[in-house]
Amino acid sequence: MKARTKREKMVLELSGKLPFISEAQRKWAFGLFPIDGYYYADGRVWCQCCGYVDNLTKSELSVSLGLDYHICPECGRCIQLTHIHKGEFYNHEKIVSIITAFRGWLVIRTYKAVRINDTPGVKTELSIEEIYQNWIDDEGKETIVTRPYRRSIYGVNWNTWMPMEIGHHNYSANGYYIFDDMFNPDLNYFYPRVNVTSKLRRNGWTNDIVKHRIPVSAAIIQLLSNPLSETVIKQGQLEVFKYMLEKGNYQLPYVYALNICHRNRYIIKDASMWFDYMDLLSSMDYDTHNAYYVCPVDLAGAHDKMVAKKKKCDEAKQIEAMMQDDEAYKSEKSAFLGISFYSENICISVLQSVKDFYDEGESMHHCVYSNEYYKKKDSLIMSAKVGGKRMETVEISLTNFQIVQSRAICNGISEYHNRIVELVNKNMYQIRRAAV
């Protein structure tokens, strides 16, 4: 898209003046590729790091089981081997981002690093091309510069030989399929050395934002435009800041309680549990201005204790309220009630009724029912089962369609956590489509 406004024209001009990627940055990006190789049934070993072909001297069985490595005589790498059939080859691609300051702007530069091995014995080809940039000014306003591209259900093709142009955040595409935002760098690999503007540094920027996998672009924009974000990050409450961004709610409740935590040097390790706990205290008319309650030594224990107390208080009116709430829940979430995801022995489905919330809370020993998650308009609750057994309860924000939390029994994390999160993210388009 051509630059139309004065701002877009200025950013596009500045984009052409950015320095080339440094040798250290290139070396870091290429270092993200796996140190691996392939072996064939005829005994040949194909090193993916340099392209050299050697003969297998290890036991094929031990290699197949991942119990042995191979030292490449050409590059000296200790490579993990994977069996491959003759004629097959696989190239690798990594999307990497570099955060830098340039003439008063904060720029997130994103590159596509590619490792090409398409012929055994031919030297491995490495390339890295810039594909888009997120330009953010000191007011937190963003402008995107990108290479032209085409995308489909099969992937994205970047026209890296063409000049940069103006882009816009895009969560969808024409037709049946719905895609994630093209220009959201949050899931990219970030170069560890970060250079930011003086205002962003003043407003509390810390490299821990990158290390803790906090949504980077949203974090930068909020630190530059939202005083509450600045306060939270300067208080050292990184988990609370991450919770804000993932929830899509940039004005938090209980800000006064966060100040109490700061005065008592209390760092919240689990923000979603702490806010749930504060909701419980408030609903039970406890003093939420008292540090004794606000800063529990054992948050999980205090949380579970309040859940038990609230459950006991609510037992008398539970059945009548459930019937009334069930009708309201089904009316409000009717568009989502039929959604289910399947993968092997994992089944993830939306809770169908308030009774399901009760059963989920009872079985998993957490607060999904007692904290009335079925009344939260911006949350969708799903139950993840493995082999028919409840494994985790997943909360999804209907504001920004991201996973807020996924909890196993007693608010823990199960051995299937990563697979559950991956399956939900893979099928998030169904929820996004139902919300339209």
Side-chain angles (χ1 to χ4, degrees), residues 1 12 15-16 110 130-133 145-148 162-166:
M1 184 179 295
L12 200 56
S15 175
T110 298
E130 192 163 17
I131 52 179
Y132 67 86
Q133 303 161 357
V145 176
T146 178
R147 301 283 185 190
M162 296 185 68
M164 290 283 195
E165 60 184 28
I166 296 298

Side-chain angles (χ1 to χ4, degrees), residues 162-356:
M162 296 185 68
M164 290 283 195
E165 60 184 28
I166 296 298
H168 297 282
H169 285 291
N170 184 0
Y171 293 94
S172 62
N174 293 331
Y176 179 80
Y177 296 98
I178 297 177
F179 302 93
D180 291 330
D181 182 14
M182 283 289 300
F183 306 114
N184 181 1
D186 294 340
L187 298 180
N188 299 348
Y189 294 91
F190 280 88
Y191 186 56
R193 296 189 64 179
V194 176
N195 179 29
V196 301
T197 60
S198 57
K199 182 178 180 182
L200 184 59
R201 182 74 66 184
R202 185 201 70 188
N203 285 11
W205 170 268
T206 168
N207 289 355
D208 287 339
I209 290 174
V210 176
K211 294 176 184 177
H212 286 250
R213 303 299 294 176
I214 295 174
V216 174
S217 56
I220 292 169
I221 291 171
Q222 287 303 308
L223 282 175
L224 291 170
S225 61
N226 185 357
L228 178 58
S229 296
E230 180 182 350
T231 298
V232 169
I233 204 73
K234 286 183 176 179
Q235 288 178 347
Q237 302 289 5
L238 279 174
E239 289 301 316
V240 175
F241 186 50
K242 184 177 182 180
Y243 175 84
M244 285 177 63
L245 301 177
E246 291 177 345
K247 188 76 173 176
N249 179 10
Y250 304 128
Q251 297 300 323
L252 292 173
Y254 310 113
V255 174
Y256 63 88
L258 290 173
N259 293 333
I260 294 171
C261 291
H262 182 57
R263 289 197 295 271
N264 287 271
R265 298 180 180 179
Y266 182 82
I267 300 298
I268 298 169
K269 301 295 185 182
D270 190 328
S272 61
M273 184 183 291
W274 185 83
F275 280 104
D276 282 346
Y277 169 66
M278 292 299 297
D279 286 340
L280 287 166
L281 289 176
S282 180
S283 67
M284 297 287 289
D285 294 325
Y286 279 78
D287 184 6
T288 56
H289 291 78
N290 189 329
Y292 176 79
Y293 296 113
V294 173
C295 309
V297 176
D298 179 8
L299 175 59
H303 175 274
D304 292 345
K305 186 176 180 181
M306 291 306 303
V307 169
K309 285 186 176 182
K310 191 171 190 302
K311 178 183 174 183
K312 188 174 182 179
C313 291
D314 290 345
E315 279 180 353
K317 41 189 179 180
Q318 179 178 323
I319 297 178
E320 182 181 353
M322 188 181 293
M323 293 177 62
Q324 296 175 352
D325 292 337
D326 190 63
E327 185 177 347
Y329 171 75
K330 289 180 177 178
S331 174
E332 184 177 297
K333 297 295 195 300
S334 60
F336 305 98
L337 295 184
I339 296 177
S340 295
F341 315 142
Y342 301 90
S343 176
E344 297 178 359
N345 62 334
I346 300 177
C347 173
I348 305 174
S349 57
V350 176
L351 296 183
Q352 300 294 301
S353 65
V354 175
K355 176 67 163 54
D356 287 348

